[in-house]
Amino acid sequence: MNKPKVAVIGSLNMDIVVETRQHPQVGETLLGEQIRFIPGGKGANQAVAAARLGAETAMIGAVGEDAFGRELLEALRQDGVDISGVKRLPGCTTGVASIYVAEGDNSIVVVPGANYRVSPEDIDENEDKLRRADIVLLQLEIPVDTVFYAAQKAKSLGKTVVLNPAPAQPLPPELFGYVDYVTPNRTELSRYTGMDADGTKLAAAMRRMKEMEAKHIITTLGADGSAYLTEDGEVRTVPGHQVKVVDTTGAGDCYNAGLAVSLAKGRSLREAVEYAALVSALAVTKFGAQAGMPSEAEAERFAAKLKNKTGE
């Protein structure tokens, strides 16, 4: 069987995680307990996850010509991601997310840097990667105009487009018409539809997004699993899996990668959503977004364990 092929267009960030006992007040200086430099960015996270799940994966994005950029590219290379579509920008800093963790909560400041220099011209220059792909996977940590152009280009080439519409922000309404699968969480679904998506109101919000011309709607629900809209407008749910949670960072990125890889293998929407739920559950059992992404073999073992447990 040929390997599924996924092209990821998106962000690469260095996550600088500082752990402190409490969040500093304005003008206050505290001593931190620990600092970690962790490769991240939604695009890069999804590329690593797709590659580990067995897909031939190409990354399109941008980094600066600095130490962080080199480290991020090396991390992708080690996981077998094709990084020839990631441009290096002299005089521009690589994207950085400063994450302060204290008292069981975090605060984050993101400096997009090179990520906001990913342009439609970069999509054209890497058209060969889109042509080879089965699935084109997009998020919103690069300019929206570039995401819109990439979706249009991918559809003109007859490709399947998956949009992870995060972080939520204003989008041209026409974008959804170029998207085959859109994967908001409940908050993002509410933001884009202008409707409450809690509890029994979830189905109505998902149907509203369908009216916005996206072909398939999948809503992630955190520990509660996920839901998808069938062709006849019914909402079906897929439960989450009970696992020991170590770090939820990157779980949503793993979900999107799992969905894309599964769809690229020709599986049904139900099967793809179930696989996405399975691999994202594995992702939270390890520390770090990219470090926690499971391999295809780990996913297969977990699926076999679940099957034996249920007696199917």
Side-chain angles (χ1 to χ4, degrees):
M1 179 179 176
N2 293 332
K3 294 180 69 172
K5 298 177 177 62
V6 176
V8 181
I9 304 170
S11 59
L12 300 91
N13 286 330
M14 180 60 75
D15 293 346
I16 303 175
V17 182
V18 177
E19 295 183 18
T20 67
R21 292 185 178 180
Q22 64 190 57
H23 290 283
Q25 302 299 312
V26 175
E28 181 181 18
T29 298
L30 297 177
L31 292 178
E33 296 181 333
Q34 186 171 208
I35 186 168
R36 294 186 178 99
F37 296 86
I38 304 172
K42 295 188 71 62
N45 292 346
Q46 292 177 12
V48 168
R52 290 191 184 176
L53 293 173
E56 182 181 311
T57 307
M59 178 80 208
I60 299 171
V63 295
E65 285 192 342
D66 52 22
F68 284 164
R70 291 190 293 272
E71 189 172 343
L72 293 177
L73 292 178
E74 181 57 28
L76 289 173
R77 186 185 293 111
Q78 288 181 3
D79 275 301
V81 177
D82 175 3
I83 59 171
S84 60
V86 181
K87 66 181 179 181
R88 290 77 158 174
L89 296 170
C92 185
T93 59
T94 296
V96 169
S98 295
I99 305 171
Y100 302 90
V101 180
E103 302 171 324
D105 205 349
N106 63 52
S107 56
I108 304 173
V109 177
V110 176
V111 181
N115 292 313
Y116 267 31
R117 300 275 294 275
V118 181
S119 67
E121 289 75 22
D122 297 318
I123 307 305
D124 288 337
E125 290 178 8
N126 290 283
E127 184 176 314
D128 60 322
K129 293 175 175 54
L130 272 62
R131 287 186 180 277
R132 286 198 298 268
D134 301 308
I135 299 280
V136 176
L137 181 53
L138 304 165
Q139 330 77 33
L140 300 176
E141 289 185 335
I142 60 175
V144 168
D145 288 348
T146 302
V147 173
F148 190 13
Y149 186 82
Q152 290 177 303
K153 172 71 76 171
K155 291 312 296 177
S156 74
L157 297 172
K159 304 303 175 179
T160 298
V161 177
V162 176
L163 173 64
N164 175 207
Q169 56 188 290
L171 296 176
E174 298 84 3
L175 172 59
F176 293 106
Y178 294 95
V179 173
D180 296 285
Y181 299 87
V182 61
T183 61
N185 61 25
R186 204 189 295 265
T187 300
E188 292 153 1
L189 180 64
S190 294
R191 173 80 175 270
Y192 291 121
T193 61
M195 298 176 64
D196 186 350
D198 289 334
T200 58
K201 299 176 181 178
L202 174 65
M206 291 179 71
R207 293 187 188 108
R208 173 69 187 102
M209 179 160 271
K210 175 74 172 180
E211 293 171 359
M212 296 164 67
E213 297 190 356
K215 294 181 178 62
H216 300 284
I217 317 299
I218 302 106
T219 304
T220 56
L221 306 173
D224 293 330
S226 49
Y228 66 96
L229 200 63
T230 65
E231 292 291 346
D232 59 3
E234 294 300 314
V235 172
R236 298 284 184 266
T237 58
V238 172
H241 299 286
Q242 296 297 317
V243 295
K244 183 178 179 180
V245 177
V246 174
D247 182 8
T248 60
T249 308
D253 295 328
C254 189
Y255 185 99
N256 280 274
L259 181 78
V261 170
S262 197
L263 291 170
K265 290 181 176 180
R267 293 172 178 162
S268 69
L269 177 56
R270 175 79 188 192
E271 292 170 329
V273 171
E274 289 175 344
Y275 187 71
L278 183 147
V279 296
S280 61
L282 280 176
V284 305
T285 64
K286 300 178 185 178
F287 179 80
Q290 293 180 22
M293 298 304 180
S295 67
E296 185 177 20
E298 288 175 318
E300 290 173 352
R301 288 194 295 269
F302 188 42
K305 180 180 178 180
L306 292 173
K307 186 175 182 180
N308 291 333
K309 187 176 181 179
T310 59
E312 293 180 1

